[in-house]
Amino acid sequence: MEGLEVSVLMLSEIYNQKYSTFRFDSEHYQKKYQTIIKKLEKHRNLFDLKDLISQPVITGHTPSMKVDRYYNGNVKFIKTDNLRENKITQDFTHYLSKEGNDTLKNSQLRKDDIITTIVGATYEIVGRTSIIQERILPASINQNIALIRPDINKINSHFLNIYLNTFYGRNMLYYHSRQTGQVNLNCREVEYIKVPVFKNLEIQIEKVVKEIEVYKHNSKQTYAEAENLLLAELSLQDFAPSKEKVSVKSFSESFGTSGRLDAEYYQVKYEDYLKLIRNYKNGFDTIRSVCSLKGDNFKLKDEKEYRYIELSNIGNTGDVNGCTINFGKELPSRARRLVNKDDVIISSIEGSLDSCALITEEYSNALCSTGFYVINSEKINSETLLVLFKSKLMQNVLKQNCSGTILTGMNKDDFLNIIIPIIDFEKQQKIASLIEESFSLKKQSEHLLEVAKRAVEMAIEENETVAIKYIQNESNNYYF
């Protein structure tokens, strides 16, 4: 059977006496998992996760949606979509009230807790892991996420989080998961994963992780500087649109001009935002006149492998966080927009209008969904377009132009007829410089994350000394 993906086991080997489990799903016995386990078992300080935590692994749950007082507070409610590799995205769909959070007392998060997804449609979703930073609190989790509370006397939380993000840690989670209708793990299975402990490396990993957090924080702060510069330029910093709920229009002023009869379109606040654009000192014009729109569908080749950018890949500060890599024949039919460096992609769907991103060199010649509009401009640089379309000004104008019933969004003509301000050239240059710096800082944080992960993998594959030397070399050779 050499060369085949076959594992031959005795019936007695299928029953795990230590964990009292009986697994006969073939996925669980793949050769790659047996190879990984053998590598881990070479290390003397190898533990089950349950021996390194201060309480049993648990999940959260979702407070009843029928009880309004459980929601609309300031407690972040973390779901699967919020959890990425070593990161929690902050586009939360729900916030809990204190009362709602009190129903989740056991799973309320603390600083240095670790959370991981245990339910997902695919293996890519399961095993996403991140450590909890102080700034994310207060926060709780739903039933699809497991809470791991490390015993700090036995293992460093930062090291454990990095390990779970490595090839070995994530595959340990895959190894214990099972696929039925979905891929899933239960809390006891999470406790079964094997964890090697390297006390000297832990110290080095924590130092790297702290650097990562500094770069991530500085990246967000720099983006905020660019955003504030634009807001000041457009007199938006202290701007408060009307809260008037009634707008009286004649037929000629409404349907006769816009073709719209829905009350949402005529809210006074939208008129206030449009007045800001029309009164901008440097002038304004339509997107049609200012920007080039890529509208032609790209023809896929079945035998070619493509990178595909989805809504879930768009970061909070207009960056692209990874992509799906797949062959043309296996890509969804909506993967039809070819993007290049300096293009800006803007979601056309109402619920995700803030999913705008600037395409960097790394993602040039990738594909995105037809649910995005892809634009660039000779009058407004790409960095300024990004910040502009993510601003509350353009977010409101975009929302006004959404229409539909089941799935609301913007059609192409409505999008192209939207007016935008022609930002002062000097301000554009300053914004571009800040966004470039923000993206550079983010890239440096990503590099350090890869260094930390690779160091842990090297400790497993070789030894702790080699791993520490690798971190030191990378710190000396990479200019941060």
Side-chain angles (χ1 to χ4, degrees):
M1 297 202 178
E2 187 177 348
L4 297 177
E5 181 52 65
V6 175
S7 297
V8 180
L9 298 126
M10 301 290 288
L11 180 62
S12 59
E13 295 177 282
I14 293 177
Y15 174 70
N16 190 312
Q17 190 171 11
K18 180 179 179 181
Y19 303 132
S20 298
T21 58
F22 184 76
R23 297 283 296 267
F24 56 89
D25 47 315
S26 59
E27 179 72 26
H28 185 68
Y29 298 102
Q30 287 186 70
K31 288 182 178 179
K32 67 175 181 179
Y33 296 138
Q34 305 308 314
T35 301
I36 288 169
I37 290 169
K38 285 178 182 178
K39 285 186 179 181
L40 291 171
E41 288 179 340
K42 290 191 307 180
H43 297 279
R44 181 182 61 186
N45 293 326
L46 183 68
F47 300 87
D48 290 341
L49 179 63
K50 67 182 179 62
D51 298 321
L52 300 170
I53 54 182
S54 61
Q55 66 174 46
V57 173
I58 59 173
T59 66
H61 74 264
T62 300
S64 174
M65 294 283 189
K66 295 179 181 179
V67 182
D68 291 340
R69 65 179 184 274
Y70 286 168
Y71 291 89
N72 301 316
N74 69 337
V75 180
K76 302 169 185 73
F77 192 41
I78 302 173
K79 304 178 185 179
T80 302
D81 288 345
N82 299 115
L83 188 48
R84 294 289 185 271
E85 180 187 46
N86 196 44
K87 182 171 66 174
I88 298 168
T89 64
Q90 303 216 28
D91 49 342
F92 302 105
T93 54
H94 291 97
Y95 286 79
L96 302 177
S97 66
K98 182 181 183 304
E99 186 176 356
N101 194 39
D102 284 344
T103 69
L104 306 175
K105 282 186 177 179
N106 292 333
S107 59
Q108 291 174 6
L109 300 177
R110 303 177 190 170
K111 182 178 181 292
D112 293 341
D113 281 346
I114 294 170
I115 59 175
T116 187
T117 51
I118 58 170
V119 178
T122 66
Y123 278 99
E124 182 196 26
I125 297 172
V126 169
R128 294 173 176 173
T129 305
S130 180
I131 195 166
I132 299 300
Q133 304 287 343
E134 183 76 44
R135 64 174 178 271
I136 206 74
L137 300 176
S140 284
I141 54 175
N142 76 354
Q143 62 277 4
N144 295 331
I145 298 175
L147 165 59
I148 301 167
R149 186 159 287 158
D151 183 338
I152 60 173
N153 295 311
K154 296 178 179 179
I155 191 167
N156 181 286
S157 297
H158 296 286
F159 173 84
L160 178 57
N161 174 56
I162 293 297
Y163 167 71
L164 292 174
N165 277 288
T166 65
F167 170 81
Y168 295 97
R170 195 149 189 187
N171 271 285
M172 277 288 91
L173 289 166
Y174 294 158
Y175 171 65
H176 287 290
S177 67
R178 61 191 74 231
Q179 186 162 16
T180 51
Q182 292 182 306
V183 182
N184 63 82
L185 282 150
N186 62 46
C187 293
R188 302 296 72 77
E189 288 165 340
V190 174
E191 292 177 352
Y192 298 157
I193 70 170
K194 296 183 181 297
V195 181
V197 175
F198 304 99
K199 284 299 180 182
N200 293 325
L201 182 59
E202 283 186 358
I203 298 168
Q204 299 299 319
I205 291 295
E206 182 170 5
K207 289 179 181 177
V208 175
V209 169
K210 287 181 177 178
E211 284 189 75
I212 291 171
E213 290 307 312
V214 169
Y215 283 116
K216 285 166 66 174
H217 174 75
N218 289 344
S219 174
K220 290 177 181 176
Q221 288 294 104
T222 307
Y223 180 90
E225 284 183 50
E227 190 174 46
N228 289 333
L229 181 61
L230 180 70
L231 293 177
E233 176 68 10
L234 295 172
S235 303
L236 270 167
Q237 285 180 313
D238 299 316
F239 175 73
S242 172
K243 294 182 180 180
E244 177 63 52
K245 294 182 178 180
V246 177
S247 179
V248 180
K249 299 282 185 183
S250 67
F251 182 83
S252 61
E253 291 174 315
S254 56
F255 185 81
T257 302
S258 66
R260 298 278 294 268
L261 282 174
D262 49 310
E264 169 71 20
Y265 183 83
Y266 298 101
Q267 288 189 60
V268 179
K269 67 175 182 178
Y270 294 142
E271 294 181 12
D272 291 345
Y273 280 114
L274 289 171
K275 284 178 184 176
L276 272 181
I277 297 175
R278 293 190 181 100
N279 292 333
Y280 176 57
K281 62 185 180 183
N282 211 47
F284 66 93
D285 212 328
T286 62
I287 292 176
R288 188 189 304 275
S289 299
V290 176
C291 302
S292 298
L293 174 71
K294 290 186 176 180
D296 296 334
N297 285 346
F298 181 75
K299 294 182 179 179
L300 300 174
K301 296 180 180 179
D302 286 352
E303 70 280 5
K304 186 173 179 181
E305 195 169 58
Y306 295 94
R307 292 167 298 161
Y308 176 51
I309 301 168
E310 302 181 74
L311 277 174
S312 60
N313 299 127
I314 308 303
N316 292 330
T317 53
D319 49 332
V320 178
N321 296 321
C323 59
T324 302
I325 299 176
N326 222 332
F327 287 96
K329 62 183 177 183
E330 297 171 347
L331 283 169
S333 59
R334 62 183 179 277
R336 290 293 184 272
R337 295 280 189 266
L338 183 69
V339 297
N340 298 108
K341 183 178 181 294
D342 294 333
D343 283 340
V344 174
I345 60 175
I346 301 162
S347 172
S348 63
I349 309 302
E350 182 173 2
S352 56
L353 293 174
D354 62 342
S355 293
C356 310
L358 172 61
I359 303 300
T360 57
E361 183 68 46
E362 181 181 0
Y363 296 101
S364 191
N365 292 314
L367 298 173
C368 73
S369 165
T370 51
F372 287 103
Y373 288 120
V374 183
I375 63 171
N376 53 51
S377 173
E378 294 183 0
K379 294 182 179 179
I380 305 177
N381 64 44
S382 300
E383 293 83 2
T384 304
L385 279 177
L386 171 69
V387 181
L388 179 61
F389 275 98
K390 285 183 70 66
S391 71
K392 61 182 179 181
L393 171 66
M394 291 309 300
Q395 284 292 300
N396 274 276
V397 175
L398 292 173
K399 186 174 181 180
Q400 182 193 28
N401 283 275
C402 288
S403 60
T405 52
I406 297 174
L407 184 64
T408 55
M410 290 175 291
N411 67 49
K412 185 172 75 171
D413 283 337
D414 286 342
F415 175 72
L416 289 174
N417 288 329
I418 288 172
I419 59 171
I420 58 174
I422 312 300
I423 306 301
D424 175 78
F425 181 69
E426 185 179 334
K427 293 294 190 301
Q428 286 191 46
Q429 288 181 307
K430 290 180 180 178
I431 291 170
S433 178
L434 288 167
I435 295 300
E436 286 170 7
E437 183 182 353
S438 175
F439 278 31
S440 175
L441 289 165
K442 178 179 176 291
K443 196 169 185 65
Q444 290 165 11
S445 75
E446 291 170 346
H447 171 78
L448 280 178
L449 175 60
E450 292 306 312
V451 168
K453 287 164 53 180
R454 184 62 194 134
V456 174
E457 291 168 352
M458 291 175 79
I460 293 167
E461 295 161 0
E462 299 180 64
N463 58 61
E464 194 173 19
T465 303
V466 170
I468 292 172
K469 186 174 181 181
Y470 169 73
I471 290 175
Q472 292 169 343
N473 287 340
E474 282 297 311
S475 298
N476 291 332
N477 295 333
Y478 195 90
Y479 294 95
F480 299 114

